[in-house]
Amino acid sequence: MEEHQGLKKTPLYHVHIATGAKIVEFGGWAMPVQYSGIIDEHKAVRSKAGLFDVSHMGELRLQGPEALKAVQLLITNDASRMQTGQIIYSPMCLDSGGVVDDLLVYRLGSEDFLLVVNASNTEKDLEWIRQHCPEDVTITDQSSSTAQLAIQGPLAGEILQRLTGVDLASIKYYRFAFGQVSGVECLISRTGYTGEDGFELYFDAKYAADLWHKIMAAGLPVGLVPIGLGARDTLRFEAGLPLYGQELSEKITPLEAGLGRFVKLPKEDFIGRQALLAQEAHGIPRKLVGLEMIDRGIPRGGYPVIAQGQEIGVVTSGTFAPWVGKNLAMALIRYGAEGDLEVSIRGRGYRCQIIPLPFYKR
């Protein structure tokens, strides 16, 4: 009998099982959390390269004469200046300014956009988009028919170049091209969630196992390893990248999360604009900061942050950062809070200090 009954599975589920991955439940999906170990996998991506199965992500396509108008209404960033072949990152907000999801927008054509959304939010996002799109925008959920692989790290381009005739060096950061990788038609995107250079490939799900094995074979001689969700999280954390449900939620605005550069308030009306304008005018009440532990202790999401005996915020993500070699946290704290801070770990205060984000830059 198959394990992990009742959970969604990517087309690579059986490959992960065969590779000896430890499988966990993540947002309703059975996903590999680690293969060789989180710290080893993390360091492999920073020093060589790693291959990630991110086929659980959602792909929603908006097409038609009103597609740009719909995208502009939905997102806080400005899609109007996007060229075909370009990608932007953006929060998508509620009227309250809280975040429905954060996503990538791909401009496939003048009236054709691909929105890549978080796996656990795909159904919620699809419903939200349907509610707010004009009737003549065609919305297609391509999630189940699309596989997504990410190859990340300093050797990612060199490995992938062995399998494609597309000149990968000509694809700039946050741009994409179409082409074959090992005979499979792909959207080849210079993006990632690790703080490293690399590529994300979108293609027909039926080729997932074949392409995974071919990329692994091409990269094995130079140290390519498969990477699970555990290292994916520690990598994005070191790079100061937000995770929906932790640094972002329906109760946290993009301005509070330090994502103001992705909120184009002068843009004509978008959902949440009035609330975000008001928040900026009256003072943003909270801010996302980086924390480094002074005392020995690992801060975890949900732990209170204390100043002068008062709770002034909460840790959103925290862990031992494998490449940086420190116990670190991102925390949402009261704006203007300063002085000696502590993280409350099991009821006891552990000293920490505010440090700049991101914790790691390549």
Side-chain angles (χ1 to χ4, degrees):
M1 189 172 78
E2 193 172 67
E3 283 184 275
H4 312 113
Q5 279 190 319
L7 296 178
K8 297 178 200 163
K9 298 173 182 72
T10 78
L12 289 162
Y13 171 78
H14 292 293
V15 173
H16 303 315
I17 297 283
T19 312
K22 182 183 175 191
I23 304 287
V24 297
E25 187 273 334
F26 176 80
W29 291 79
M31 294 294 291
V33 67
Q34 63 180 59
Y35 301 84
S36 58
I38 292 171
I39 290 176
D40 286 349
E41 291 169 33
H42 182 111
K43 289 180 174 176
V45 175
R46 291 270 180 261
S47 60
K48 293 175 182 173
L51 185 62
F52 302 71
D53 174 17
V54 277
S55 303
H56 59 314
M57 299 291 277
E59 290 87 14
L60 308 175
R61 195 159 174 182
L62 274 58
Q63 294 168 287
E66 299 284 294
L68 173 60
K69 187 178 172 186
V71 170
Q72 287 289 73
L73 176 69
L74 290 163
I75 68 168
T76 64
N77 207 336
D78 188 357
S80 67
R81 295 178 186 171
M82 289 178 77
Q83 298 164 344
T84 296
Q86 191 179 355
I87 309 151
I88 58 171
Y89 168 83
S90 183
M92 178 168 70
C93 286
L94 298 163
D95 286 319
S96 64
V99 179
V100 179
D101 203 0
D102 63 329
L103 46 94
L104 292 181
V105 179
Y106 287 72
R107 188 161 201 168
L108 305 180
S110 63
E111 300 178 354
D112 194 354
F113 294 85
L114 179 70
L115 275 48
V116 180
V117 303
N118 285 297
S120 55
N121 289 338
T122 303
E123 282 154 29
K124 175 185 83 168
D125 289 357
L126 183 59
E127 187 54 39
W128 179 258
I129 290 165
R130 280 181 176 147
Q131 282 173 15
H132 294 94
C133 266
E135 280 183 12
D136 58 356
V137 174
T138 305
I139 304 162
T140 314
D141 181 1
Q142 299 182 334
S143 309
S144 59
S145 61
T146 305
Q148 189 190 345
L149 297 180
I151 180 167
Q152 301 279 298
L155 301 181
E158 179 191 314
I159 293 164
L160 195 61
Q161 192 63 77
R162 296 173 189 181
L163 299 172
T164 182
V166 176
D167 177 17
L168 298 178
S170 71
I171 304 174
K172 296 190 177 76
Y173 190 52
Y174 268 67
R175 294 289 195 280
F176 67 89
F178 289 100
Q180 289 197 349
V181 179
S182 209
V184 177
E185 286 295 338
C186 293
L187 184 160
I188 305 166
S189 168
R190 194 161 208 153
T191 46
Y193 192 49
T194 61
E196 298 300 329
D197 190 17
F199 295 86
E200 294 179 304
L201 307 175
Y202 299 84
F203 56 95
D204 191 319
K206 67 185 177 213
Y207 301 115
D210 186 44
L211 198 50
W212 172 277
H213 289 308
K214 282 177 174 165
I215 296 170
M216 281 305 308
L220 214 54
V222 293
L224 178 70
V225 295
I227 311 292
L229 289 180
R232 187 169 187 255
D233 190 49
T234 56
L235 288 158
R236 72 91 200 164
F237 169 76
E238 276 188 348
L241 299 169
L243 176 62
Y244 190 85
Q246 291 177 224
E247 284 71 43
L248 290 169
S249 76
E250 295 190 354
K251 295 196 163 47
I252 302 169
T253 75
L255 301 181
E256 293 171 323
L259 299 174
R261 65 193 181 280
F262 304 109
V263 179
K264 308 301 186 193
L265 290 172
K267 187 179 91 164
E268 278 188 29
D269 211 33
F270 60 85
I271 300 165
R273 180 171 181 257
Q274 294 309 316
L276 295 171
L277 280 168
Q279 193 172 69
E280 194 175 66
H282 300 136
I284 300 162
R286 303 179 291 179
K287 63 176 178 177
L288 192 74
V289 297
L291 298 177
E292 179 183 342
M293 299 306 294
I294 298 168
D295 292 335
R296 287 186 62 155
I298 297 184
R300 302 285 186 200
Y303 287 4
V305 180
I306 311 292
Q308 283 98 43
Q310 298 290 313
E311 187 173 326
I312 58 140
V314 66
V315 171
T316 55
S317 297
T319 190
F320 170 73
W323 191 255
V324 179
K326 294 174 178 176
N327 292 333
L328 302 171
M330 290 195 275
L332 200 59
I333 66 168
R334 199 164 61 218
Y335 210 89
E338 44 196 37
D340 299 327
L341 300 183
E342 294 179 336
V343 173
S344 177
I345 302 176
R346 289 181 291 282
R348 186 185 140 202
Y350 288 72
R351 290 175 304 152
C352 62
Q353 60 188 6
I354 294 176
I355 61 167
L357 286 168
F359 304 121
Y360 167 85
K361 270 186 185 159
R362 66 184 165 95

